[in-house]
Amino acid sequence: QEFRNSGACSNSTRGLFFGGGHPSYYNTIEYIEIGTLGNALDFGDQVTSAAVKSSFSSPTRGFSFGGFPAYSPAISVVTIAAKFGEMTSAGLSYGGCANSVRGMFAGGYTAGAQHMKSISYITMASEGNAIDFGNLTIGRNYPGGMATQTRAVFGGGIIDQPATYTNRIDYITIATTGDAIDFGDLIEETNRQRGTTDSHGGLGGF
């Protein structure tokens, strides 16, 4: 889109552009990576559609406010780029899921420790490193994860090389820490699957 009268701010790596336009007005936020050449990309949306935005930023957050024609008192805030913390291990192919409070990571693969058993968690409302939760019943990478507000469930995955798959399903109670418990079996041995429920991330459900 072609804008005018946009607001702008930046940290040391990204530049953000807020709203703008005439005679139509937009709530769009776009960004560029300052150290590279290329077109702007979509970052997200503001709470109002307006031009003549005022804005400023800290190293981690960008703020925009005011604007025409809304004359709104609303202040929009975005996180430009920030490090939350670190995992308990450096790896890949974890199973992940969350309720409205905790985010969970289980299993995975890292050099020298294939088919990990470890489960770790973060409290999403605060920054900080992941904390050890317990262990899966068997080590595996590429498990699928899903959660309700009370339980996290991890199923399937690779348990050996050359690739041997499992149908094992484990569960944990998110509000406590401790090792996973055998939940049951998938209908087939598999890996790289994904999971979903009607209860993830605080949207409702149980």
Side-chain angles (χ1 to χ4, degrees), residues 34-113:
I34 297 172
T36 63
L37 300 177
N39 295 335
L41 299 172
D42 182 55
F43 186 95
D45 294 328
Q46 301 177 101
V47 296
T48 60
S49 298
V52 199
K53 300 291 290 187
S54 299
S55 54
F56 54 72
S57 60
S58 73
T60 57
R61 283 180 164 180
F63 301 83
S64 70
F65 41 93
F68 177 86
Y71 296 101
S72 170
I75 302 171
S76 295
V77 59
V78 296
T79 301
I80 301 173
K83 181 178 178 179
F84 186 96
E86 294 186 351
M87 301 284 294
T88 55
S89 61
L92 54 87
S93 66
Y94 304 91
C97 59
N99 67 2
S100 57
V101 178
R102 285 181 169 179
M104 315 296 300
F105 312 90
Y109 174 98
T110 189

Side-chain angles (χ1 to χ4, degrees), residues 109-135:
Y109 174 98
T110 189
Q114 301 176 14
H115 321 302
M116 293 188 291
K117 293 182 71 174
S118 60
I119 306 168
S120 57
Y121 74 94
I122 58 171
T123 301
M124 293 183 290
S126 62
E127 297 177 5
N129 294 337
I131 299 170
D132 182 58
F133 187 97
N135 289 318

Side-chain angles (χ1 to χ4, degrees), residues 84-188:
F84 186 96
E86 294 186 351
M87 301 284 294
T88 55
S89 61
L92 54 87
S93 66
Y94 304 91
C97 59
N99 67 2
S100 57
V101 178
R102 285 181 169 179
M104 315 296 300
F105 312 90
Y109 174 98
T110 189
Q114 301 176 14
H115 321 302
M116 293 188 291
K117 293 182 71 174
S118 60
I119 306 168
S120 57
Y121 74 94
I122 58 171
T123 301
M124 293 183 290
S126 62
E127 297 177 5
N129 294 337
I131 299 170
D132 182 58
F133 187 97
N135 289 318
L136 295 168
T137 59
I138 54 173
R140 63 192 110 153
N141 53 316
Y142 293 107
M146 66 196 82
T148 66
Q149 287 298 320
T150 55
R151 279 186 175 181
V153 179
F154 303 97
I158 299 175
I159 59 173
D160 201 1
Q161 294 292 351
T164 301
Y165 306 151
T166 181
N167 62 357
R168 179 73 60 86
I169 307 170
D170 291 347
Y171 78 92
I172 55 175
T173 301
I174 298 174
T176 64
T177 58
D179 293 340
I181 299 170
D182 186 8
F183 182 94
D185 293 329
L186 298 169
I187 59 174
E188 62 182 29

